[in-house]
Amino acid sequence: MPHRCSTVDKWLAATAIVLGSMTTVHAGSATGAATEWTQLANNAQLVDLLKSSGLQVDNQLTQISQLTEQIHNQLKIYENMLQNTAQLPDHIWGQVAGDLNQLRAIVDQGQGIAFSMGNADDVLQQRFKSYVDLKENLPTGESFSSSYQSWSDTNRNTIASTLKAASLTADQFDSEESTMAAFRSMSESSDGQMKALQVGHKIAAQQVAQMQKLRGLVSQQMTMMGTWLQTEQSDKDLAQVRREKFFAPANRGIPTGQMMEPRW
């Protein structure tokens, strides 16, 4: 178990680094949120950062999905253990609480990625008309920013419904302190322990599906961005060729068939 938790911490830390490099500041909503994307005055730097961050985020979402699946399976093992005993001992419950808290952190990471990529979409729309024109061809007719917001809302509402079914509130899943306090209280009885495990198991299963959806959304955004960048580069290359042709010196060579004769 310690080895597995160490791996969990590394993956979550790696994701935090990616989000840190994107330096997004969430201010209540994905659209219009204050973000340091907007502080990159150089458009070339903005595009380069978006390309590298998109690739890193896709890799991190793959790892987060694998981690969530591990936690999902581990919580099922704890459920089976509890069915065969009156109550899980303290040292086992400590591992359960740790896994549940890691699950809460995973939910936060997913929300952070959604807000970051949604804000990136907003900035691109503000700065590049060609990007806006290309986005009009999206099948859903929505922006990626609004799609990320919808994903985030759906994820939060699903978690809130699951917690409510266990007489818990979304606020109790908002921070490490409140999460651990809620599960400490539930650990006092076997019924409470089972309820906590079932809640965690359901949320983990939901997050496995939700992270796959989020990864698909990021992948779609990166594909469209790649198409847009390729179009932009083609336009720049064509413009450069035209400039070179326009400013090329006049052809002062000797016409074909004409001999060069001394004139003195």
Side-chain angles (χ1 to χ4, degrees), residues 121 135-136 138-148 150:
D121 184 65
K135 283 172 57 58
E136 292 177 354
L138 286 175
T140 59
E142 296 182 348
S143 68
F144 280 108
S145 179
S146 61
S147 296
Y148 283 118
S150 295

Side-chain angles (χ1 to χ4, degrees), residues 14-260:
T15 307
I17 290 172
V18 172
L19 293 178
S21 70
M22 297 164 76
T23 54
T24 298
V25 180
H26 172 44
S29 66
T31 304
T35 168
E36 293 194 21
W37 288 117
T38 60
Q39 295 181 16
L40 287 172
N42 187 314
N43 286 341
Q45 291 178 347
L46 170 65
V47 171
D48 286 343
L49 181 58
L50 283 169
K51 287 191 292 185
S52 61
S53 295
L55 180 61
Q56 292 177 63
V57 166
D58 183 69
N59 291 335
Q60 291 300 325
L61 282 172
T62 300
Q63 294 177 335
I64 288 174
S65 296
Q66 293 171 351
L67 169 59
T68 309
E69 187 70 51
Q70 286 185 22
I71 293 176
H72 178 263
N73 294 334
Q74 188 64 38
L75 290 176
K76 189 63 180 177
I77 292 174
Y78 292 139
E79 282 188 64
N80 293 335
M81 291 174 61
L82 186 55
Q83 290 174 352
N84 298 318
T85 184
Q87 192 169 343
L88 293 177
D90 290 343
H91 72 281
I92 295 295
W93 186 254
Q95 295 174 358
V96 173
D99 280 344
L100 292 172
N101 188 52
Q102 295 286 8
L103 184 58
R104 180 201 57 77
I106 285 172
V107 171
D108 286 346
Q109 295 290 346
Q111 295 288 350
I113 289 173
F115 286 126
S116 295
M117 300 307 292
N119 285 330
D121 184 65
D122 287 336
V123 174
L124 286 173
Q125 290 188 73
Q126 293 166 9
R127 295 197 183 182
F128 300 98
K129 183 180 183 304
S130 58
Y131 180 80
V132 177
D133 292 341
L134 184 62
K135 283 172 57 58
E136 292 177 354
N137 297 323
L138 286 175
T140 59
E142 296 182 348
S143 68
F144 280 108
S145 179
S146 61
S147 296
Y148 283 118
Q149 184 65 58
S150 295
W151 178 91
S152 181
D153 291 342
T154 299
N155 198 35
R156 284 201 306 269
N157 292 338
T158 301
I159 292 173
S161 297
T162 302
L163 291 170
K164 185 178 180 180
S167 301
L168 295 169
T169 67
D171 291 342
Q172 290 174 301
F173 204 65
D174 277 346
S175 68
E176 179 177 357
E177 182 178 352
S178 59
T179 299
M180 299 305 282
F183 289 130
R184 271 197 302 271
S185 176
M186 299 176 78
S187 71
E188 296 175 0
S189 68
S190 59
D191 182 62
Q193 286 186 346
M194 180 58 75
K195 186 178 292 187
L197 285 169
Q198 289 172 344
V199 168
H201 192 255
K202 288 180 181 179
I203 291 177
Q206 293 163 2
Q207 291 311 295
V208 169
Q210 286 297 101
M211 290 303 166
Q212 288 299 323
K213 291 179 181 178
L214 182 58
R215 187 186 176 197
L217 194 55
V218 170
S219 179
Q220 184 184 10
Q221 184 181 13
M222 290 300 102
T223 298
M224 199 204 76
M225 188 181 297
T227 302
W228 168 67
L229 288 172
Q230 191 173 37
T231 302
E232 283 286 288
Q233 189 59 51
S234 296
D235 290 344
K236 289 179 181 178
D237 292 343
L238 179 59
Q240 180 63 26
V241 169
R242 288 174 175 170
R243 280 194 298 270
E244 291 175 355
K245 185 175 181 180
F246 180 81
F247 290 108
N251 185 2
R252 304 183 186 281
I254 302 170
T256 304
Q258 180 177 336
M259 296 182 61
M260 183 174 182

